[in-house]
Amino acid sequence: MIGPDILADLRTRLAHKIAGRPAIPPCDPLSISPWIAMSLLQKAIRRGHTPLALQAAATLLIDSPDRLWRRCGGIAFEDMGIADLDTLGLVTAALGGKRVRQTLGGEWAVGSFIVTAMAEARKCRSADDLLMGVELHPDLAEARHKQAELSIHQLRRIVLSQATLPERALALWFVLGTDRRPSPRLATRRGEPAFAFDLLDELGCPMTMVEIAREGFRRTREMLSPLVGLLMAGGAPTNPAVTDDDLGHEAFIGALPCWALDTYTREGRRALSRFAAGESRTAKWVRDRIPEGRHTAFLGDLLFQVEGGLMRRRLRWALGDSLRRQNEVECRGVSPSEASEILALLSSDIPQLNEVRAEVMEDTRHAR
């Protein structure tokens, strides 16, 4: 079965699943910005909050449909990856364009199905943890410089070698082309995407996964899709555990969960900036150790670790846990002991941050 046949098969399976639903949920949008809706969608899927995820999806479908489909594609590879290949394939099949979705039952029938499926699926963030390590881990600083100068065939040998997984992932990125998925930390160079996905096949990645990754990259232009393929080439985890993260108390501002206000929303950045100037232990720690111009960005990255990236039904396996730990404490720009300290402080100070978030949302309401 070649690529187009695999995608056609996935779309046929998606059509059957949509047709077999007992009912399509109502399209019930919220009165929020597209940026808050995108944040709410992804974090609600991570936390298994299906009703909230559907409301966020409805908001985007009405106000910014292109953002809905791009975000769904990104979520599938970032937050599910190898944990649920069936759902990953169905979501990828749904990204084929409005005309394709019309044949599958229409925009909301397809969107509500894949959002529900992702919220209920097992989760794995190993591809994103690997991506962050490739970009940020200090041990890869020399490799990021040297690999940029290698030929594509030299990079191929690294991908196929016994080098560390992050080194092989970096080489795969350069083969794909940093012009197609840029990074401020990697030199820009043209790649050969077709060759990159052929490499996944050469590594032994299942053909269906190769085609899902290829189509995912074509639709999202994100490096996460080939990295999921690279992880699968190493073999799926054997008998992994599935556990819920400790989500703690979930505070709300009206109908909106506080965790939707992250660094990628205007209100979330405003709250982080105000929080950084406050008197919490976290704010004092940041002001003592981090350059002033980086306070908000530094807190935003930390906030993802202690709140935004948390999920229900997380796949637990040795490599995944190792990649997660490296990303949390070795890629923060401070020592591992300092990273652990500030992560613990911010986790304990979330109630104070939520108070600031509520103040910001109240200010926003009055400014309208």
Side-chain angles (χ1 to χ4, degrees), residues 8 16 22 26 65 90 125 132 157 166 191 199 206 224 263 311-312:
H16 288 159
L90 295 177
R125 290 192 39 76
M132 293 297 99
R157 285 195 287 271
L199 264 180
L224 290 165
T263 191
M311 52 180 52
R312 287 191 168 93

Side-chain angles (χ1 to χ4, degrees), residues 259-289:
W259 41 257
L261 301 177
D262 64 6
T263 191
Y264 298 104
T265 68
R266 181 170 54 187
E267 296 85 350
R269 286 193 301 274
R270 193 175 299 157
L272 283 170
S273 178
R274 191 178 296 183
F275 177 74
E279 294 303 313
S280 69
R281 292 181 300 164
T282 299
K284 292 175 181 177
W285 191 101
V286 170
R287 291 199 298 270
D288 285 344
R289 292 170 174 82

Side-chain angles (χ1 to χ4, degrees), residues 4 22 30 58 69 116 122 126 130 139 150 161 176 204 270 277 319:
L30 296 167
W69 301 111
T116 300
R122 298 195 305 177
S126 296
L130 178 57
D139 288 354
L150 299 180
S161 75
L176 189 76
R270 193 175 299 157
L319 177 59

Side-chain angles (χ1 to χ4, degrees), residues 41-312:
L41 173 66
Q42 187 155 17
K43 292 172 182 59
I45 285 174
R46 286 176 184 148
R47 291 168 177 253
H49 282 298
T50 302
L52 279 173
L54 287 170
Q55 285 190 287
T59 305
L60 288 171
L61 185 61
I62 291 172
D63 295 341
S64 189
D66 287 346
R67 286 192 174 101
L68 169 63
W69 301 111
R70 284 198 303 271
R71 181 52 61 103
C72 283
I75 292 169
F77 288 96
E78 181 177 345
D79 295 320
M80 291 187 315
I82 67 169
D84 193 327
L85 296 179
D86 183 59
T87 301
L88 180 66
L90 295 177
V91 174
T92 304
L95 305 180
K98 191 169 185 176
R99 187 172 299 175
V100 168
R101 291 188 290 273
Q102 208 55 45
T103 66
L104 294 171
E107 296 282 282
W108 182 240
V110 176
S112 61
F113 175 82
I114 64 171
V115 165
T116 300
M118 287 192 288
E120 295 174 353
R122 298 195 305 177
K123 313 293 193 300
C124 179
R125 290 192 39 76
S126 296
D128 192 60
D129 287 329
L130 178 57
L131 176 67
M132 293 297 99
V134 167
E135 288 197 277
L136 299 173
H137 202 289
D139 288 354
L140 284 180
E142 184 177 359
R144 285 190 283 268
H145 174 72
K146 287 186 174 180
Q147 286 194 20
E149 305 300 322
L150 299 180
S151 71
I152 196 165
H153 295 291
Q154 290 172 314
L155 292 167
R156 170 185 172 273
R157 285 195 287 271
I158 294 174
V159 175
L160 298 177
S161 75
Q162 297 300 310
T164 67
L165 179 61
E167 289 176 305
R168 295 166 61 221
L170 175 62
L172 182 64
W173 194 340
F174 278 123
V175 170
L176 189 76
T178 51
D179 59 328
R180 293 175 181 265
R181 199 298 190 176
S183 166
R185 298 169 184 87
L186 300 181
T188 302
R189 57 174 284 169
R190 292 177 61 106
E192 297 185 25
F195 187 61
F197 292 101
D198 288 345
L199 264 180
L200 293 180
D201 184 34
E202 191 173 358
L203 280 167
C205 182
M207 178 63 74
T208 297
M209 184 64 238
V210 173
E211 294 309 318
I212 289 172
R214 193 193 309 272
E215 178 71 1
F217 181 74
R218 190 165 79 89
R219 296 296 178 181
T220 68
R221 283 295 184 265
E222 288 293 334
M223 189 62 198
L224 290 165
S225 52
L227 290 186
V228 172
L230 181 62
L231 288 168
M232 274 300 297
T238 304
N239 297 322
V242 179
T243 64
D244 293 344
D245 292 338
D246 181 5
L247 303 180
H249 173 69
E250 296 185 304
F252 282 73
I253 305 168
L256 185 69
C258 290
W259 41 257
L261 301 177
D262 64 6
T263 191
Y264 298 104
T265 68
R266 181 170 54 187
E267 296 85 350
R269 286 193 301 274
R270 193 175 299 157
L272 283 170
S273 178
R274 191 178 296 183
F275 177 74
E279 294 303 313
S280 69
R281 292 181 300 164
T282 299
K284 292 175 181 177
W285 191 101
V286 170
R287 291 199 298 270
D288 285 344
R289 292 170 174 82
I290 305 301
E292 185 175 356
R294 291 187 54 224
H295 289 176
T296 300
F298 182 79
L299 280 170
D301 288 342
L302 293 177
L303 185 63
F304 181 86
Q305 304 301 327
V306 305
E307 181 188 72
L310 300 182
M311 52 180 52
R312 287 191 168 93

Side-chain angles (χ1 to χ4, degrees), residues 38 44 49 58 94 240 320 346 365:
M38 286 189 290
H49 282 298
L346 180 56
R365 187 178 68 83

